[in-house]
Amino acid sequence: MHYIDVIIPIPLQKLFTYSITASEFDFIKPGMRVAVPFGKSKIYTGIVYRVHNDAPTAYDAKDIQQILDETPVVNQKQLKLWDWISSYYLCTLGDVMRASLPNAFILESETMVSKNMSKTIDESILKDDEFLVFEALSHQSSLKVQDISNILNKKNVLPVIKRLIEKEAIIVEEEVYEKYKPKLVRYVKMHSFYSTEKELHQLLNDLSRAPKQRDVVMTLFSISAKTKKPIKVSDLSAESGASSSIIKSLIDKEILEEYYIQIDRVQYSGEENEDSKALNNHQEQALAEIQTTFKDHQVTLLHGVTSSGKTEVYVKLIEDVLKLGKQVLYLLPEIALTTQLVTRLQNYFGDQVAVFHSKYSAHERVEVWNQVLLNSAKAKVVLGARSSIFLPFDNLGLIIVDEEHEQSFKQFDPAPRYHARDTAVVSAHIHQAKVLLGSATPSLESYFNAQQNKYGFVELMHRFNDVLMPEVELVDIKEKQKKKRMKGHFSDSLIAEMTQTLADGHQIILFQNRRGFSPIVECSTCGNSPQCPNCDVSLTYHQYRDQLRCHYCGYSIVMLRKCDACGSPELDNKGFGTEQIEAEVKLLFPENKVGRMDLDTTRGKYGYEKIITALEQQEIEILVGTQMLTKGLDFRNVKLVGIMNADNMLNFPDFRAHERSFQLMLQVSGRAGRTEERGKVLIQTYNPYHNILQQVSTNNYSAMYKEQMDERYNFKYPPIYKQIKLTLKHKDYNRVEIAADWYAKSLRQVFKDNILGPEFPPVARIRNQYHKNILVKIPKKQSLAKTKEAIIKINNSFFNIKDFRSVRVILNVDNY
Ligand code: ADP
Ligand code: ZN
Ligand code: ZN
């Protein structure tokens, strides 16, 4: 007997064994998709994990329903990586599968077919089984794949469905077997009839009374003489100035012939490639050092200040790897994946560059997936956000993780709660590839690894062209308030700098770490502030829509006109967000063009790009934004950066708050003065003597590192200790309390003092679920595997208690 173990995209710990026939056994390979029955009536798309001959002992293996692929869509190296992710991040292989595969690859059991109403079918052309299905569809408007299976009394019905589609008798409701459809482009050529001089001559004569049509034919000739490539209908129409109806009439008259070519959606339309830039001495040296470290390190950290030209160094490394015929993965935080960078890389590498990120459609993702899988020339360099770590690389030579300190590399929800940087290191290990981590403000984790000589370490401390680092000035707003030198949230110093910068014709970026108008609306009479009914937070005022909104669950209501509690009309705005800063700027600088960049203004595929382009084109003179601004943008003309309030970042209740504030402020500062003229940064704060602010103003990474590491050491935080955060969720407050106490007590029996909590987080209720956290701290010398084993054991006992079954437990390894 033959069997396969299958990964099913559901959060159940184990693999499921199915039986297969001898011929299926010869055909099936790990990494192929199979449709399998599950439970009473469900069908899932699973991934074959192992093919073997061992019957399961606990249950009778069911038969598979059908094989969905001719060749594997997931390779062995990926399956290895999946294994690691599932065991390291304490999630199931099904979770990893769901996160990895493009949605379009996952056939659901709910797949529907129905009769093609736009066609009358001669039933005599249908074979018996086809007819049965066709007939059934006359009585029922649609059928599931499973129903068809029952009607025909066999499991593999795909071929029947396929034939019926080809005969145009049925349509598969959209997004069915392959949700993916390649994009087709319409081309034209001369009809084959006109292949000789003589016929052609005749044609042009005939057309002399239809000059527009004649023009089209002439244009077609001149284009094909020039390019010798297929000619798109759209190009022909543009060149000849003829409308599409004229072209259509030529097609109808069989003078032209139309045809379709499948093209890749994700494609490069650039001109010739250019050579990469010659490096300056500092870059040369950094490159040489990186290459040396790669001799005995798999991973190297490049600490290079903003605008030092890290990207050009990456480009040289990429060139070397491409010469070896290997693939390169270039990982970036989602938001840093701008056209600016894509264009820059395409200029060097042409259409060897493929891009993969969440704003791409399902189709585009499948295309990139397939190109990577086939090691195609079109995806030698993949530029992607977090999830591109899951692409089916086969021959990876190098992974670059740019802005490696970015917390958005860690997936927060849902499982797998993986860190793309750390996963990249493991993936590189599987491929025997190298990893370069790059940042102007490395994470303490990576810097620590470099200090321990676990990673190689290279510095690039000169800005390109020796442009000076911006001058940083701290503005004490407590002092300014006392002296009445504030206008709204703007100090007189900031206003003066802004006025000067604008007068010089330069641009300004203002950084405010919050979106919305003012986070909190408070009644001046009774102090009440409107709360979200689902979460324990105050609602945020959004002036643009005149709404109060919850940033946790999306709940919104129209802005109140009077206090809910006491009826007083005096509602006060406390705190401030991007929208309010924008409004204030417009009042202070009514002559200037102001833009805003935050989650609200960058929705949609090109939302973010539009704002960047407007800034590049100098259609915006002052840009107000959240941390989106910090990411690798290169704006020549920005000379002033204002940080509206440093304190709300510094006071955030998280052990990483100081590290992050340092990174954020230094990264935003890096946007100022990237060319010859020195830029300036103004930081407004109530506490100018804060160490972090001092370290930011002197650009002193190592002082920050040293001080923060002392704290991490004293309080047993990462990277000194590892940690796993457990979150228990339930709609009943008491149940969460009791469950969390039980859980923490059990953990304490094993891990003693290394358990913190249970504790309610600052926002204890989100979407009507109460949250309670427990933290497990893991000393470096304690076995991680054993620790996890113990946690899983406790977790299993937990769910054996009836009262706790409805509690959700989230395990977050290396939580951020
Ligand atoms: P980083 O990534 O370190 O912030 P970039 O790679 O974006 O820096 O470089 C900053 C600017 O300097 C870019 O506009 C880039 O084109 C330019 N630059 C960097 N290195 C070179 C070089 N070797 N020759 C010419 N221009 C360079
Ligand atoms: Zn009130
Ligand atoms: Zn809410």
Side-chain angles (χ1 to χ4, degrees):
M1 288 295 279
H2 308 296
Y3 301 93
I4 50 175
D5 293 342
V6 176
I7 306 168
I8 295 175
I10 50 173
L12 282 178
Q13 208 42 257
K14 38 183 220 154
L15 296 165
F16 297 87
T17 304
Y18 289 86
S19 71
I20 50 174
T21 63
S23 65
E24 285 168 338
F25 179 79
D26 291 335
F27 186 77
I28 292 185
K29 291 187 188 60
M32 283 183 181
R33 286 173 300 165
V34 284
V36 291
F38 189 81
K40 270 206 203 89
S41 63
K42 277 203 151 30
I43 298 163
Y44 279 109
T45 298
I47 289 281
V48 179
Y49 182 84
R50 194 166 76 94
V51 186
H52 59 89
N53 298 311
D54 316 320
T57 47
Y59 54 94
D60 281 334
K62 292 185 192 170
D63 295 339
I64 63 166
Q65 202 200 38
Q66 63 200 46
I67 302 170
L68 296 172
D69 292 308
E70 305 269 308
T71 51
V73 291
V74 172
N75 65 36
Q76 290 295 316
K77 286 173 181 157
Q78 275 179 292
L79 288 177
K80 243 185 181 171
L81 188 65
W82 289 15
D83 272 332
W84 178 81
I85 293 173
S86 114
S87 80
Y88 186 86
Y89 291 109
L90 300 175
C91 62
T92 70
L93 279 169
D95 289 329
V96 187
M97 171 184 169
R98 218 177 239 296
S100 298
L101 290 184
N103 272 337
F105 275 175
I106 300 177
L107 162 75
E108 314 281 17
S109 62
E110 311 303 307
T111 298
M112 303 284 252
V113 302
S114 52
K115 206 164 170 172
N116 182 1
M117 294 306 186
S118 64
K119 194 102 181 175
T120 344
I121 291 294
D122 170 10
E123 288 172 7
S124 67
I125 66 167
L126 300 178
K127 289 191 188 170
D128 289 354
D129 52 0
E130 295 166 15
F131 181 75
L132 278 177
V133 177
F134 188 73
E135 244 243 329
L137 281 170
S138 311
H139 305 297
Q140 258 171 297
S141 62
S142 60
L143 290 172
K144 290 182 188 170
V145 171
Q146 183 58 50
D147 303 330
I148 295 177
S149 205
N150 295 339
I151 292 169
L152 299 180
N153 195 20
K154 66 177 183 184
K155 63 182 180 183
N156 192 355
V157 295
L158 188 60
V160 184
I161 295 175
K162 243 185 182 161
R163 286 198 310 266
L164 279 165
I165 295 169
E166 280 158 15
K167 292 178 180 169
E168 296 185 71
I170 64 167
I171 47 173
V172 177
E173 250 153 62
E174 233 205 321
E175 317 216 296
V176 182
Y177 278 100
E178 290 284 70
K179 292 182 187 173
Y180 166 70
K181 286 194 201 77
K183 187 175 169 186
L184 294 176
V185 171
R186 200 165 146 234
Y187 288 83
V188 274
K189 58 183 179 197
M190 288 306 291
H191 202 277
S192 51
F193 184 69
Y194 303 102
S195 52
T196 68
E197 285 272 336
K198 196 174 135 233
E199 271 119 15
L200 209 73
H201 207 76
Q202 183 62 43
L203 172 68
L204 289 174
N205 266 341
D206 292 350
L207 283 179
S208 58
R209 267 161 297 137
K212 278 189 179 163
Q213 296 186 2
R214 195 168 184 272
D215 274 358
V216 173
V217 174
M218 297 297 281
T219 312
L220 184 69
F221 271 109
S222 76
I223 305 180
S224 49
K226 261 185 290 180
T227 68
K228 307 228 182 303
K229 282 189 202 150
I231 296 160
K232 285 185 208 162
V233 172
S234 54
D235 288 349
L236 180 60
S237 160
E239 281 282 315
S240 64
S243 66
S244 52
S245 65
I246 295 180
I247 297 179
K248 188 169 180 301
S249 66
L250 284 165
I251 294 169
D252 291 344
K253 282 161 94 179
E254 297 198 316
I255 294 171
L256 300 185
E257 195 178 354
E258 65 180 336
Y259 61 107
Y260 291 84
I261 296 183
Q262 176 180 330
I263 61 147
D264 295 314
R265 268 157 219 282
V266 193
Q267 65 168 359
Y268 158 72
S269 55
E271 308 292 301
E272 292 289 281
N273 302 348
E274 53 184 75
D275 288 337
S276 58
K277 298 191 166 62
L279 300 183
N280 68 20
N281 289 341
H282 303 297
Q283 289 170 315
E284 267 315 338
Q285 192 180 344
L287 176 64
E289 284 176 24
I290 292 167
Q291 282 157 341
T292 310
T293 57
F294 276 165
K295 289 197 180 117
D296 42 42
H297 289 92
Q298 187 170 20
V299 186
T300 289
L301 171 65
L302 171 63
H303 179 199
V305 294
T306 50
S307 209
S308 55
K310 293 185 289 295
T311 317
E312 303 301 330
V313 175
Y314 303 156
V315 166
K316 299 289 178 192
L317 290 166
I318 295 172
E319 282 176 348
D320 287 348
V321 175
L322 291 182
K323 272 182 210 141
L324 300 172
K326 297 190 176 214
Q327 297 164 306
V328 177
L329 171 61
Y330 191 135
L331 274 176
L332 272 158
E334 178 82 33
I335 204 74
L337 257 176
T338 56
T339 346
Q340 271 188 343
L341 182 72
V342 176
T343 313
R344 211 165 141 187
L345 291 179
Q346 283 178 336
N347 282 341
Y348 299 140
F349 303 113
D351 57 7
Q352 298 180 86
V353 179
V355 184
F356 191 78
H357 71 83
S358 71
K359 283 188 178 170
Y360 271 20
S361 69
H363 298 313
E364 291 165 323
R365 283 152 171 259
V366 170
E367 240 154 43
V368 177
W369 181 281
N370 286 334
Q371 285 166 353
V372 173
L373 183 69
L374 302 172
N375 199 354
S376 135
K378 282 188 180 160
K380 286 293 182 189
V381 183
V382 178
L383 193 58
R386 186 171 69 206
S387 63
S388 50
I389 192 71
F390 293 121
L391 286 169
F393 294 100
D394 161 58
N395 191 15
L396 200 52
L398 173 69
I399 305 179
I400 290 164
V401 186
D402 197 15
E403 314 287 356
E404 67 84 29
H405 63 278
E406 265 299 317
Q407 69 183 99
S408 61
F409 279 128
K410 178 78 157 75
Q411 171 141 319
F412 171 66
D413 218 17
R417 296 181 174 78
Y418 66 101
H419 197 301
R421 175 195 62 213
D422 301 341
T423 308
V425 171
V426 175
S427 173
H429 188 74
I430 294 171
H431 285 267
Q432 296 296 304
K434 299 293 179 189
V435 182
L436 184 67
L437 309 176
S439 175
T441 52
S443 62
L444 295 193
E445 276 77 4
S446 297
Y447 205 83
F448 180 71
N449 280 330
Q451 298 266 302
Q452 304 280 309
N453 198 29
K454 200 174 147 197
Y455 293 172
F457 182 62
V458 177
E459 283 183 313
L460 186 51
M461 293 323 227
H462 296 265
R463 286 189 132 191
F464 185 73
N465 271 342
D466 286 320
V467 176
L468 289 171
M469 290 302 271
E471 178 193 345
V472 180
E473 185 184 325
L474 301 173
V475 179
D476 185 344
I477 42 180
K478 191 151 75 192
E479 189 71 23
K480 295 283 184 192
Q481 267 168 353
K482 239 191 268 163
K483 296 185 177 156
K484 306 236 177 300
R485 289 195 180 149
M486 296 289 290
K487 278 192 187 151
H489 295 94
F490 291 77
S491 62
D492 57 350
S493 324
L494 182 55
I495 295 174
E497 286 291 344
M498 288 175 69
T499 311
Q500 186 59 49
T501 307
L502 293 168
D504 294 343
H506 296 313
Q507 290 165 294
I508 301 169
I509 284 178
L510 297 177
F511 173 76
Q512 171 53 35
N513 206 15
R514 280 177 174 158
R515 64 192 165 112
F517 190 77
S518 73
I520 296 173
V521 173
E522 197 179 270
C523 168
S524 323
T525 312
C526 76
N528 178 61
S529 63
Q531 301 285 309
C532 174
N534 313 318
C535 314
D536 283 345
V537 285
S538 301
L539 295 170
T540 304
Y541 179 45
H542 285 245
Q543 185 189 39
Y544 171 63
R545 291 199 178 84
D546 198 34
Q547 273 182 346
L548 288 171
R549 274 204 290 199
C550 172
H551 284 184
Y552 284 84
C553 73
Y555 172 86
S556 71
I557 48 170
V558 169
M559 172 62 187
L560 302 176
R561 297 291 156 243
K562 49 188 202 282
C563 171
D564 260 353
C566 75
S568 158
E570 279 174 50
L571 297 174
D572 196 22
N573 296 329
K574 280 267 154 83
F576 60 111
T578 40
E579 247 188 81
Q580 178 158 14
I581 299 297
E582 183 192 15
E584 286 183 26
V585 179
K586 283 180 171 162
L587 283 178
L588 288 168
F589 298 92
E591 303 297 310
N592 296 98
K593 288 164 279 181
V594 184
R596 177 160 62 89
M597 178 189 281
D598 55 26
L599 267 184
D600 299 320
T601 59
T602 54
R603 287 183 213 289
K605 189 161 175 176
Y606 298 111
Y608 184 64
E609 306 280 279
K610 272 188 206 145
I611 298 175
I612 291 176
T613 312
L615 195 70
E616 272 177 341
Q617 306 291 318
Q618 316 217 8
E619 284 154 25
I620 294 175
E621 293 168 281
I622 306 168
L623 182 65
V624 182
T626 57
Q627 44 250 59
M628 288 190 167
L629 286 172
T630 59
K631 313 293 151 37
L633 298 171
D634 190 353
F635 301 122
R636 324 257 102 196
N637 197 39
V638 173
K639 286 284 137 56
L640 176 67
V641 167
I643 294 175
M644 300 307 296
N645 179 327
D647 307 299
N648 56 26
M649 300 181 245
L650 287 166
N651 299 334
F652 194 77
D654 182 295
F655 74 92
R656 284 192 175 89
H658 287 179
E659 175 191 357
R660 262 194 210 135
S661 305
F662 179 89
Q663 289 163 338
L664 262 176
M665 283 187 266
L666 222 60
Q667 293 283 348
V668 217
S669 307
R671 305 305 123 215
R674 287 172 75 94
T675 41
E676 302 73 45
E677 266 171 277
R678 191 174 188 193
K680 179 145 190 180
V681 180
L682 244 70
I683 303 178
Q684 301 195 127
T685 171
Y686 283 94
N687 186 5
Y689 301 103
H690 197 293
N691 278 348
I692 287 287
L693 293 177
Q694 294 297 324
Q695 289 151 4
V696 168
S697 63
T698 52
N699 188 19
N700 195 340
Y701 181 88
S702 51
M704 185 281 293
Y705 176 76
K706 204 173 160 303
E707 189 183 347
Q708 293 305 312
M709 285 300 286
D710 281 346
E711 295 219 342
R712 304 285 173 94
Y713 189 84
N714 290 335
F715 298 103
K716 303 181 173 172
Y717 278 121
I720 305 298
Y721 276 48
K722 278 195 160 286
Q723 64 182 31
I724 299 176
K725 186 163 115 185
L726 291 91
T727 304
L728 283 74
K729 298 185 187 177
H730 198 274
K731 62 179 189 306
D732 177 6
Y733 179 92
N734 286 323
R735 180 132 356 165
V736 176
E737 284 256 274
I738 297 166
D741 284 344
W742 184 97
Y743 213 122
K745 203 171 130 212
S746 313
L747 287 168
R748 275 208 175 83
Q749 281 171 1
V750 184
F751 301 110
K752 311 283 182 288
D753 291 346
N754 285 326
I755 302 301
L756 284 190
E759 220 171 68
F760 285 113
V763 179
R765 188 176 53 117
I766 298 176
R767 296 173 197 273
N768 275 322
Q769 299 269 319
Y770 287 94
H771 290 206
K772 209 156 187 187
N773 294 332
I774 305 170
L775 204 61
V776 183
K777 296 187 170 189
I778 309 163
K780 274 269 149 80
K781 53 183 190 303
Q782 178 176 317
S783 151
L784 202 55
K786 290 228 171 78
T787 306
K788 287 174 183 168
E789 235 170 73
I791 293 175
I792 299 267
K793 217 164 138 194
I794 291 169
N795 199 55
N796 291 341
S797 325
F798 177 84
F799 283 111
N800 278 334
I801 298 169
K802 203 168 124 258
D803 278 355
F804 296 160
R805 259 176 222 154
S806 56
V807 177
R808 270 194 73 200
V809 177
I810 285 161
L811 303 170
N812 190 343
V813 179
D814 298 340
N815 65 300
Y816 270 67

